[in-house]
C-alpha cells in the first residue's frame, strides 16, 4: 500500500542573558528585548508569575517591576495582576497552580505572541513553563531564574513539567523559552543551602566533559563556599554554556535513549523522594556524584587520587555526602531508583560513569553489590569525618 | 551585559500510510511498522484508545485487534485494557478523559518509547494526542483516523488539543504523531453527513492552492455524493498530501502570524459554537467557504462564473450553504468570529480570500458591511433554492 512521508525541521533560537538589577529603570536590557521582538502588528501583553519565596526576600520586587514598565510603557502591556505562587515542589504537586495560570491567560487575553514571565526557582519555572506550553498550544515564555541551580541548569534548558499523583515530572513537554534572564542580584539573598546546591550540577558537567572546569571548581571551592560572587558568576556562565551546548549538540527533545548529562542522577532522584524532598535536588546530586565516582573507582576506572579530589571538592563546598536513606536497602530503597530511572527515560537503562575526571562513559547496567559497597564507603567516610 | 545564544533544529519525520482492513491478520503493514521501529533494547508497549462511535459501527474491532497481536505477538506488548472514549466534542470538553489516558499510561508503564494509538474521529485523536504529548514529556502517538475529515486533514497534521471551560482548543501542543494509518474500511460505515463533511477541507485547500484539484472535485462531485470509494480515496490522498506539504513547507509549529490554509474558517469556528456544535466542522467550513468566496466576488477578485462554480460544487455534494445563526447580527454574532480568530492565532488578523480558483491571497481586515452583504446573498440563494 502507498504512503506519504512527512519530514521537516523546526529551528529554535533563544538567548540566555546575564545581568544584574534587571528591573532597575536604568537597565534597558529587558525593555530592549521586547523592542527587538516587536512587530508592527499589535501590542503584546506580559503576565508575571512570581515565586512567593522571592517576594519574601525581595519585598519591593512587584513595585519595582511596575515602575520599570511605567518607564518603558511602550514596549509591552503589563497585566495588572501578578500571580504569586509558592516555591519548591508544592508548585509542581498541586494542579491548582497550573489552572490559575491558564485562567489568567484567558482573563488577560494572553495570545500566542504574548508573554508569560516566571521569576523563581526551578520548580516555579518548570510549572509556569508547562502552563505556558499548553495554553493556546504555546505562549511565549520568559524565564527569570533566581537560584544557582535554575540559572546554570534547569532554567536555561528546554524542559518543563509538573508532578502528577506524586510522580515527579509525570506531565510536561519539551518547549524552549523565548528568553532567559539570569540576574545575579537574586543570588545575594539565597540561603547557604540553595547557594551551595546549584554548584553540584556544575561539578557534574565538569566531571563528565571538562577537566579544566573541574580543576577551576577545585581551586575555587573555598571562594565559592565563602559566597564569592565573581567566582559564582563564572561558574554559572560556564555551566549554563555547557548545558546549552549539550542540548544543541545532541538530542534536544530526547527522542533517543540516552541522557548523558545525568551523571549521579539515578540515585539523586530516588533520594529526594525517599527524604520527602527534605534533601534539595543539588544536595542529592552531590551524594549521587560521590556514589557513582566511588562506583567508578571500584570498577578500576577512576584512580584513588582522582576519586579523593572529587570527594574533597564536594566536602570543601560544604556538601554532606551521606544520607541515612541510602541504607534503606529494601524494595523501596535507593536501588529501586535504577529501574525508575530507566522507566522515566524510556527504552534502555543508560547510566553515566567516569573513566577519568572530564571523561564520562555510558553503561547500561549497574551491579547491586558494587552499589552497596559504594554506599558503605560513603557511610564510613562520613563516620570517620564526624568522629 | 553578556549573553549566550542557543540555537538548534529538530527534525520530525513520520509516515501517513493508506491501507484497508488494517487489523486483518493477513495485512502486515501495522506489524511491519513496529518491526521497523524496534531497537534491541527493550520490548515496547502499546495502549489503544478507541472512539465509542467506531466500536458501535465496528463491534468486532477490539477482538480483531487482539487477534492481530496474538498473530504478531513479538512486535509489541499489547496493554490488556482498551480505553473506549465518547467521540465528538464531548471527548474534548470533559477533562476526565485526558486524565483516564494519563492514568492508563501510569498503570501500564507506557514509557517515552512506547505507544498510545488512537482510533477515531478528529476529536478523539486531538484529545488522545494531547494526553500522549504531555505524558512523560511525550509518548509515541499513533493515529488511526476513521472519518474523511480526520484522514485528509486534522489527523495527518501536527496539532492536538482539548477545550477548556468551553473554549475550543484552549489547551494543546504542536507534536507530530509517530505514524498515521488511514484505513478506508472505516469510511464505509460513516453516515452521510460525516462522509460529506470532510470533503470541504479538500475544497478549501484546492481553492487556495490547486485549480486542477478543484476541477477534479467539481467533475467528481456527483460520484463523491454517491459515495464512490475510489473517488474518495483519491480525494483523501491528495488533500492529505497538500496538508502535509503546507506544514513542512511553511511554519509547522505556527510560530509566525499566518495560517494561510484556514480559508473559510473564521466564520466556521464561530458557527460551530453558535449552533452548539450541531453543525459539524466540515459543514460549517462549507458555509465559510461559500461566504468568503462571495466576499471575494464582491471585492471584484473572483468572477461571477467562478463563484457560481464553487457554490454549485458545494451544493452538488449536498452541503447546505446557509444557517440561520449567520443572521444573529449582534455582539455575539458571526462577526465576533473575526476578533476571536485573531486572538486564537495571536498577533495580527490574517484572513485568506480568493483572487482566482486555486489562488488564495491574505488580507488583514474584513469589512463588516461587505460580510453582511455576503450573508444576505447566501440567504437569498437558500430561499430561491428551497421555494
Amino acid at each position: 500500500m502507498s504512503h506519504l512521508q512527512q519530514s521537516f525541521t523546526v529551528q529554535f533560537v533563544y538567548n540566555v542573558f546575564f545581568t544584574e538589577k534587571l528591573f532597575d529603570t536604568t537597565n534597558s536590557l529587558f525593555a530592549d528585548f521586547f523592542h527587538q521582538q516587536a512587530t508592527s502588528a499589535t501590542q503584546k501583553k506580559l503576565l508575571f508569575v512570581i515565586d512567593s519565596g522571592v517576594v519574601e526576600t525581595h519585598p519591593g520586587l512587584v513595585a519595582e517591576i511596575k515602575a520599570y514598565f511605567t518607564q518603558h510603557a511602550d514596549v509591552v502591556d503589563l497585566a495588572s495582576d501578578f500571580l504569586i505562587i509558592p516555591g519548591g515542589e508544592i508548585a509542581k504537586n498541586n494542579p491548582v497552580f497550573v489552572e490559575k495560570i491558564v485562567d489568567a491567560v484567558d482573563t488577560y487575553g494572553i495570545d500566542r505572541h504574548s508573554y508569560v514571565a516566571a521569576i523563581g526557582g526551578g520548580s516555579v519555572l518548570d510549572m509556569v513553563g508547562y502552563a505556558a506550553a499548553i495554553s493556546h498550544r504555546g505562549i511565549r515564555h520568559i524565564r527569570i531564574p533566581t537560584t544557582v541551580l535554575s540559572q546554570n541548569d534547569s532554567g536555561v534548558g528546554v524542559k518543563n513539567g509538573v508532578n502528577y499523583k506524586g510522580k515527579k515530572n509525570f506531565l510536561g513537554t519539551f518547549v524552549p523559552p523565548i528568553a532567559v534572564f539570569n540576574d545575579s542580584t537574586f543570588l545575594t539573598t539565597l540561603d547557604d543551602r540553595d547557594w551551595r546546591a546549584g554548584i553540584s550540577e556544575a561539578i557534574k558537567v565538569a566531571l563528565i566533559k571538562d577537566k579544566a572546569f573541574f580543576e577551576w571548581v577545585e581551586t575555587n571551592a573555598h571562594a565559592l563556599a565563602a559566597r564569592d560572587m565573581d567566582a559564582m558568576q563564572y561558574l554559572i556562565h560556564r555551566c549554563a554554556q555547557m548545558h546549552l551546548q549539550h542540548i544543541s549538540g545532541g538530542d534536544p527533545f530526547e527522542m533517543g535513549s540516552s541522557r548523558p548529562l545525568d551523571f549521579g542522577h539515578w540515585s539523586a532522584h530516588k533520594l529526594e523522594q525517599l527524604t520527602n524532598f527534605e534533601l534539595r535536588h543539588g544536595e542529592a546530586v552531590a551524594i549521587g556524584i560521590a556514589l557513582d565516582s566511588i562506583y567508578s573507582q571500584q570498577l578500576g576506572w577512576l584512580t584513588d587520587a582522582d576519586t579523593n579530589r572529587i570527594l574533597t571538592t564536594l566536602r570543601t563546598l560544604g556538601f554532606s555526602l551521606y544520607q541515612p536513606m541510602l541504607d534503606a536497602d529494601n524494595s523501596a530503597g535507593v536501588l529501586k531508583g535504577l529501574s525508575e530511572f530507566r522507566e522515566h527515560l524510556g527504552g534502555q537503562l543508560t547510566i553515566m560513569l567516569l573513566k577519568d575526571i572530564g571523561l564520562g562513559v555510558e553503561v547500561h547496567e549497574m551491579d547491586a553489590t558494587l552499589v552497596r559497597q559504594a554506599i558503605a564507603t560513603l557511610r564510613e567516610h562520613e563516620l570517620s569525618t564526624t568522629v
Side-chain angles (χ1 to χ4, degrees), chain A residues 85-99 122-128 130 161-171 272-273 275-278:
Chain A
I85 303 283
E89 287 296 308
I90 300 169
K92 297 176 71 167
N93 276 332
N94 192 337
V96 78
F97 300 122
V98 169
E99 204 173 323
S123 297
V124 165
L125 302 185
D126 276 0
M127 187 274 292
V128 178
Y130 176 64
V162 295
N163 307 333
Y164 179 73
K165 298 188 178 171
K167 307 237 165 183
K168 201 163 156 72
N169 294 324
F170 197 87
L171 300 179
E272 280 182 86
Q273 193 201 328
T275 61
N276 234 333
F277 298 97
E278 245 315 298

Side-chain angles (χ1 to χ4, degrees), chain A residues 285-356:
Chain A
V285 168
I287 296 172
I289 289 172
L291 186 68
D292 287 353
S293 297
I294 293 171
Y295 187 97
S296 303
Q297 176 193 25
Q298 287 169 344
L299 289 178
W301 290 8
L302 203 60
T303 65
D304 295 355
D306 281 344
T307 308
N308 282 332
R309 286 173 69 191
I310 297 169
L311 300 179
T312 302
T313 301
L314 289 167
R315 289 206 182 91
T316 303
L317 288 162
F319 285 111
S320 168
L321 301 183
Y322 174 76
Q323 216 290 334
M325 290 312 288
L326 279 171
D327 282 311
D329 194 356
N330 53 45
S331 64
V334 81
L335 276 165
K336 183 84 196 316
L338 279 174
S339 59
E340 288 177 1
F341 194 65
R342 189 208 67 75
E343 213 171 282
H344 177 66
L345 298 183
Q348 197 179 13
L349 175 69
T350 302
I351 297 283
M352 179 71 78
L353 294 175
L354 299 182
K355 281 269 184 182
D356 193 357

Side-chain angles (χ1 to χ4, degrees), chain A residues 25 63-74 78:
Chain A
T25 49
E64 217 182 321
I65 294 172
K66 285 183 177 169
Y68 191 86
F69 285 101
T70 302
Q71 173 112 349
H72 300 283
D74 55 323
L78 189 64

Side-chain angles (χ1 to χ4, degrees), chain A residues 220-239:
Chain A
N220 288 274
H222 284 289
L224 287 165
R227 301 193 65 143
D228 181 303
M229 185 59 91
D230 286 342
M232 183 56 95
Q233 284 183 350
Y234 176 80
L235 177 130
I236 287 173
H237 191 280
R238 178 65 186 140
C239 184

